């Protein structure tokens, strides 16, 4: 029987194996520690960002989405490949630690791997090695031959070659492991080769010569160790830094969805700052810098970005990649950090067109498996642009109107409640200071001044009256909710309008605020410094149906196919997906079909507030037009939405796509009003 020598017992060039193992391990760990230290130094130069609250929830996120990979299956093929590779990484990390130890002592094993546990792990490990090698080959072929569109970098700034380097290194780790185990299997004459597919495959390809088997065994071992230590130090130097940072990035994820970060955390008065927002790389928070490190370059964010889909100059992925390239170049691991005076980060690296193209719909953030944040970064960069007086021409007029009159429509505040005079048999109270009502109906600017959206206001007033609610409105004491103002970067104006509304709320007594505008709902709920109980109309209507206080007929939509368009600020930002559908299902006999982009993957129509006024000449088509085509593809004759801005955009898109008279858009509130028994 042949006997294979163990690496720890074989000297190389007269040097004992343990000495070589120690030198390699120390050198690798010192280098790795230095690289990580330098990378962390960059994070330490970022601005503050409190991310240590709700530790229990953060641990759950890390376990479920970091280790559990819950978002990966949203892309079934790529997600499955990633899950298998990650699972292999977790299983084989124990193997790598064991092999490192076996360079010092031939019988080394981890304390928990003895007896039957060790035998079971050896079998699991071998199947895992075989599986990971196959997955790597599939991933390489997929990238090289099938070339998924989301991996492409139209700007030419991608890191495609690094993916092949990583997949190649991982494949080499698997092959050297197979050489190490296969040579031992054949040389020691083990009989149970059926349990070990990877080692058995390697063994069948090896010659039955003891000296050759020993050479393959020792060579495979040291090749594996060298590749493993090189791989460890390559990760933080490449785009695959996410292998190390992804789980910490998920742990430090933003917990309050729908909100916008303040201008500067831990600053009592942002007006005292030298700059508002972000114009320089160092003005990002440390967590946002960690986002740049963590980007896996998978392209899911850009693949789901509606602005990118219609040809706008925006790729969320490229924001992360360009920022990471900037950090790697001007804050190098080896050398002195030196940002160039001639290069402006906001303007040259990240362009104004990219920054203003974003609709803040949140599709990119919802898709990212590593929980990278984009909206807060975009808003911070917009703040920086506004601080320099750089606001797109098309947005200047509505912004000025809000400053002067409290709304983007230029309407006189005394006429905010003029729409109630057109109601018949419905009395809408204007609540004065100290007045009381069960519900405070927050109408917002569009519901007060836009003639089309006033119809929704009237419908909602009729519903509230018919279902017996005691409600009222603020009338001229109401001002714009400020959702879009803040997301366009005008922090000072947001503080003014929000404070006026807060004072109006506090001067009255009510149980709850209710609004049909998701944007008003979002900002009052998530952005105002004083929190008030608030509900969206869809939730209120669903509750009425549950309690049998509302009955609906199908007279208005009988024999018509209906689809529902999820507004971004109702769905992705606030998680209200089922309530509107519950209301629709309350209509007897309704035929409700879902578009291919619905629920958390709903396609933004670009109708958010002031962005209705934003002019973008780069679009190949408007987002609303693409959304209408999605509805047409499933044969929908009625598009129901629950956002006034979506309604405006989609109605306009129906005309420009030639679907006038074929497809109708209606707000959920209007549909209920027309269907009430």
């Amino acid at each position: 029987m042949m006997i294979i020598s163990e690496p720890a017992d074989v000297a190389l060039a007269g040097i004992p194996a343990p000495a070589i193992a120690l030198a390699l391990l120390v050198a690798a760990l010192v280098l790795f520690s230095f690289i990580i230290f330098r990378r962390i130094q960059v994070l330490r130069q970022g601005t503050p960002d409190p991310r240590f609250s709700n530790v229990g929830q953060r641990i759950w996120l890390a376990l479920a989405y970091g280790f559990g990979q819950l978002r990966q299956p949203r892309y079934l093929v790529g997600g499955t490949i990633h899950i298998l590779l990650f699972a292999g990484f977790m299983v084989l990390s124990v193997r790598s630690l064991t092999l490192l130890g076996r360079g010092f002592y031939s019988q080394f094993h981890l304390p928990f791997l003895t007896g039957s546990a060790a035998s079971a792990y050896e079998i699991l490990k071998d199947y895992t090695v075989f599986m990971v090698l196959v997955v790597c080959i599939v991933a390489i072929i997929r990238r090289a031959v099938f070339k998924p569109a989301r991996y492409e970098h139209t700007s030419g700034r991608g890191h495609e070659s690094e993916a092949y380097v990583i997949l190649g290194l991982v494949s080499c780790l698997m092959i050297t492991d197979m050489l190490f185990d296969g040579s031992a299997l054949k040389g020691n004459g083990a009989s149970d080769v059926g349990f070990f597919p990877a080692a058995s495959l390697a063994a069948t390809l090896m010659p039955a010569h003891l000296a050759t088997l020993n050479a393959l065994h020792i060579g495979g071992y040291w090749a594996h160790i060298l590749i493993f230590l090189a791989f460890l130090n390559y990760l933080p130097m490449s785009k695959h830094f996410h292998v190390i940072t992804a789980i910490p990035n998920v742990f430090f994820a933003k917990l309050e969805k729908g909100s916008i970060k303040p201008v500067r955390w831990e600053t009592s008065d942002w007006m005292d700052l030298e700059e508002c927002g972000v114009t320089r790389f160092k003005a990002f928070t440390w967590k946002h810098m960690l986002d740049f490190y963590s980007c896996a370059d998978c392209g899911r964010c850009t693949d789901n970005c509606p602005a990118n889909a219609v040809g706008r100059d925006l790729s969320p992925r490229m924001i992360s990649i360009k920022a990471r390239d900037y950090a790697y170049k001007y804050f190098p691991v080896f050398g002195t950090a030196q940002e160039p005076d001639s290069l402006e980060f906001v303007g040259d690296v990240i362009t104004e067109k990219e920054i203003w193209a974003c609709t803040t719909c949140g599709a990119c953030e919802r898709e990212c498996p590593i929980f990278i944040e984009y909206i807060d970064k975009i808003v911070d960069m917009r703040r920086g642009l506004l601080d320099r007086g750089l606001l797109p021409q098309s947005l200047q007029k509505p912004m000025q109107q809000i400053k002067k009159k409290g709304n983007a429509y230029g309407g006189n505040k005394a006429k905010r409640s003029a729409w109630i005079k057109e109601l018949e048999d419905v009395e809408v109270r204007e609540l004065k200071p100290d007045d009381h009502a069960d519900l405070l109906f927050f109408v917002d600017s569009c519901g007060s001044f836009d003639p089309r959206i006033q119809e929704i206001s009237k419908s909602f007033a009729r519903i509230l009256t018919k279902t017996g609610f005691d409600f009222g409105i603020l009338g001229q004491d109401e001002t714009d909710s400020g959702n879009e103002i803040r997301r366009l970067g005008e922090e000072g104006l947001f503080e003014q309008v929000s404070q006026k509304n807060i004072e109006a709320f506090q001067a009255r007594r009510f149980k709850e605020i209710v609004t049909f505008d998701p944007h008003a709902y979002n900002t009052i709920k998530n952005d105002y410094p004083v929190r008030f109980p608030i509900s969206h109309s869809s939730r209120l209507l669903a509750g009425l149906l549950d309690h049998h206080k509302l009955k609906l007929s199908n007279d208005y939509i009988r024999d018509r196919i209906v689809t529902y368009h999820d507004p971004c600020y109702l769905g992705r930002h606030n998680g209200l997906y089922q309530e509107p559908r519950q209301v629709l299902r309350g209509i007897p006999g309704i035929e409700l079909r879902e578009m291919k982009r619905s629920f958390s993957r709903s396609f933004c129509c670009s109708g958010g507030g002031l962005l209705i006024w934003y002019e973008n000449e780069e679009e190949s088509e408007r987002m609303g037009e693409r959304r209408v085509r999605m509805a047409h593809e499933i044969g929908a004759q009625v598009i129901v939405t629950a956002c006034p801005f979506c309604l405006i955009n989609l109605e306009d898109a129906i005309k420009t796509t030639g679907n006038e008279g074929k497809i109708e858009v209606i707000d959920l509130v209007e549909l209920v009003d027309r269907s009430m028994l």
Side-chain angles (χ1 to χ4, degrees), residues 23-282:
L24 289 175
L25 182 59
V26 170
L29 290 179
V30 167
L31 179 58
F32 180 77
S33 299
F34 177 75
I35 295 171
I36 295 298
F37 172 75
R38 293 285 286 177
R39 294 296 190 219
I40 291 175
Q41 271 190 320
V42 179
L43 301 186
R44 289 172 62 87
Q45 295 182 61
T47 58
D49 201 340
R51 299 282 177 145
F52 295 91
S53 61
N54 301 301
V55 173
Q57 185 178 356
R58 295 186 181 281
I59 291 174
W60 182 86
L61 283 174
L63 291 174
Y65 293 93
F67 291 100
Q69 305 277 290
L70 284 187
R71 281 190 177 177
Q72 288 293 346
R74 289 170 70 87
Y75 280 72
L76 189 58
V77 176
T80 300
I81 289 173
H82 194 279
I83 288 171
L84 292 174
L85 286 174
F86 182 79
F89 174 81
M90 298 301 294
V91 171
L92 297 177
S93 61
V94 175
R95 169 68 166 176
S96 297
L97 292 174
T98 302
L99 287 181
L100 284 170
R102 290 181 69 175
F104 295 91
Y105 173 55
S106 61
Q107 302 302 314
F108 175 84
H109 61 80
L110 295 173
F112 53 86
L113 283 182
T114 58
S116 59
S119 300
Y121 176 75
E122 285 299 320
I123 296 171
L124 173 63
K125 184 277 303 178
D126 200 74
Y127 276 94
T128 302
V129 166
F130 188 80
M131 178 267 292
V132 169
L133 181 59
V134 171
V135 169
C136 284
I137 294 170
V138 170
I140 290 171
I141 294 173
R142 184 167 177 263
R143 281 181 172 272
V145 179
F146 296 97
K147 299 179 179 179
R150 64 188 174 93
Y151 293 154
E152 294 181 5
H153 290 264
T154 54
S155 64
R157 298 187 60 158
H159 301 266
E160 181 67 18
S161 61
E162 291 186 17
Y164 293 110
V165 171
I166 291 292
L167 289 169
L169 287 173
V170 174
S171 298
C172 287
L173 284 172
M174 300 305 105
I175 292 170
T176 53
D177 190 282
M178 291 168 66
L179 286 175
F180 180 70
D181 275 0
S183 58
L185 195 66
K186 189 156 190 172
N188 292 328
S191 59
D192 53 350
V193 295
F195 284 107
F196 302 98
S200 299
L201 175 63
T204 59
L205 300 175
M206 293 179 184
H209 186 266
L210 181 59
T212 302
L213 290 174
N214 265 312
L216 290 171
H217 190 66
I218 302 301
Y221 172 82
W222 288 111
H224 185 94
I225 295 301
L226 286 170
I227 293 170
F228 172 73
L229 295 177
F231 177 77
L232 179 69
N233 282 281
Y234 178 69
L235 290 177
M237 300 290 290
S238 72
K239 84 178 185 86
H240 286 80
F241 198 8
H242 74 270
V243 175
I244 297 169
T245 62
I247 292 175
N249 205 64
V250 174
F251 177 85
F252 290 119
K254 182 176 181 178
L255 301 181
E256 293 187 2
K257 304 303 180 185
S259 63
I260 296 295
K261 66 174 284 291
V263 175
R264 184 74 58 83
W265 291 105
E266 300 179 9
T267 298
S268 58
D269 188 355
W270 61 269
M271 296 292 288
D272 293 334
L273 298 172
E274 292 184 7
E275 62 178 348
C276 174
V278 169
T279 57
R280 303 170 296 109
F281 181 80
K282 291 182 183 179

Side-chain angles (χ1 to χ4, degrees), residues 375-391:
I375 296 175
D376 278 346
K377 296 190 191 82
I378 291 285
V379 172
D380 261 342
M381 289 188 283
R382 287 175 175 177
R383 287 165 172 163
L385 291 174
L386 262 65
D387 197 40
R388 291 185 284 172
L390 301 175
L391 178 69

Side-chain angles (χ1 to χ4, degrees), residues 561 563 593 595-596 625-639 663:
I561 299 168
T563 191
R593 296 181 184 176
M595 289 180 273
K596 64 179 180 180
E625 293 173 338
R626 178 165 292 200
R627 191 55 167 165
V628 167
R629 290 191 178 96
M630 291 180 191
H632 183 266
E633 287 173 3
I634 63 168
Q637 297 162 297
V638 180
I639 302 174
I663 301 177

